[in-house]
């Protein structure tokens, strides 16, 4: 029974870390009418996809649903930070691109994100950060496998 309690503590601790990270993003990155997580998403785009990418790819990379990402993108488009570029071969496929406005403000966003990341991650040394990354990845892969099995079972039942 004690082992179950430890699992419960671990799960609640992971949930709290996620909430606290969101709170830190809000405190450190909030800018005008944009939330901290929205700014951090734009930082991700600037770092990993400065030439643009597709929503489906982003969903897989950052681990959010298309509906969640679509709501985020809608706000960023309205604020003038990102645009869509249609694919002439397939109009359903739209590439997400940073606008000039985002590129102009990118150094500010990137600098603030780096400061926040340093504040958060400096509590761990390099070895601890690497180990944490491996453990988190292992958990995410396990959880993704459970989700895929659930989807397969639902398809089988239909």
């Amino acid at each position: 029974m004690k082992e179950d309690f430890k699992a419960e503590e671990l799960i609640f601790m992971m949930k709290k870390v996620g909430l606290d990270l969101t709170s830190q993003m809000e405190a450190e990155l909030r800018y005008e009418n944009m939330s901290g997580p929205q700014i951090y998403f734009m930082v991700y785009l600037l770092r990993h996809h400065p030439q643009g990418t597709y929503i489906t790819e982003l969903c897989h990379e950052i681990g959010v649903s298309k509906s969640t990402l679509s709501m985020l993108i809608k706000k960023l488009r309205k604020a003038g930070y990102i645009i869509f570029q249609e694919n002439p071969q397939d109009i359903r496929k739209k590439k997400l691109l940073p606008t000039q406005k985002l590129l102009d403000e990118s150094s500010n966003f990137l600098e603030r994100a780096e400061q926040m990341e340093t504040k958060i991650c400096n509590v761990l040394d390099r070895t601890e950060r690497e180990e944490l990354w491996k453990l988190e990845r292992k958990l995410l892969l396990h959880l993704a496998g459970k989700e895929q099995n659930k989807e397969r079972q639902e398809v089988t039942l239909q």
Side-chain angles (χ1 to χ4, degrees):
M1 194 61 145
K2 188 163 175 76
E3 193 61 36
D4 290 339
F5 182 72
K6 292 289 183 186
E8 178 186 27
E9 284 181 338
L10 180 61
I11 289 169
F12 276 111
M13 181 68 70
M14 287 187 288
K15 180 69 173 167
K16 184 165 177 16
V17 167
L19 292 171
D20 286 353
L21 285 172
T22 301
S23 177
Q24 283 293 311
M25 283 182 212
E26 192 61 31
E28 302 289 332
L29 300 178
R30 187 173 219 357
Y31 180 77
E32 294 179 356
N33 290 337
M34 306 304 294
S35 72
Q38 290 166 337
I39 299 295
Y40 204 57
F41 173 75
M42 290 190 291
V43 166
Y44 183 86
L45 285 176
L46 290 166
R47 286 176 173 165
H48 300 278
H49 300 287
Q51 304 304 314
T53 189
Y54 298 94
I55 291 177
T56 304
E57 291 173 22
L58 284 171
C59 289
H60 294 300
E61 288 176 24
I62 62 176
V64 297
S65 68
K66 273 190 177 181
S67 60
T68 300
L69 192 54
S70 293
M71 288 177 14
L72 173 62
I73 289 168
K74 184 178 181 178
K75 175 136 185 167
L76 297 177
R77 284 183 69 200
K78 187 176 179 182
Y81 287 109
I82 56 174
I83 58 170
F84 280 123
Q85 179 183 57
E86 291 190 10
N87 182 336
Q89 285 78 33
D90 185 353
I91 60 169
R92 297 168 296 167
K93 206 170 185 186
K94 295 179 180 129
K95 193 173 191 179
L96 189 65
L97 296 163
T99 62
Q100 190 60 48
K101 179 180 180 179
L102 177 53
L103 296 174
D104 290 345
E105 297 179 35
S106 65
S107 61
N108 174 33
F109 294 155
L110 290 165
E111 183 180 320
R112 291 173 57 213
E114 287 173 18
Q115 289 172 357
M116 179 197 69
E117 292 162 346
T118 299
K119 257 192 208 178
I120 292 169
C121 294
N122 272 355
V123 70
L124 303 173
D125 66 32
R126 180 178 176 84
T127 305
E128 290 169 327
R129 286 193 301 265
E130 288 173 1
E131 187 62 26
L132 180 59
W133 187 88
K134 289 175 190 174
L135 293 170
E136 288 176 334
R137 178 132 175 92
K138 184 177 181 178
L139 279 169
L140 286 173
L141 289 171
H142 174 71
L143 293 170
K146 285 191 174 287
E147 185 64 31
Q148 288 172 354
N149 288 339
K150 182 180 173 187
E151 289 172 5
R152 282 191 210 117
Q153 289 173 350
E154 288 172 0
V155 169
T156 305
L157 293 173
Q158 293 175 351

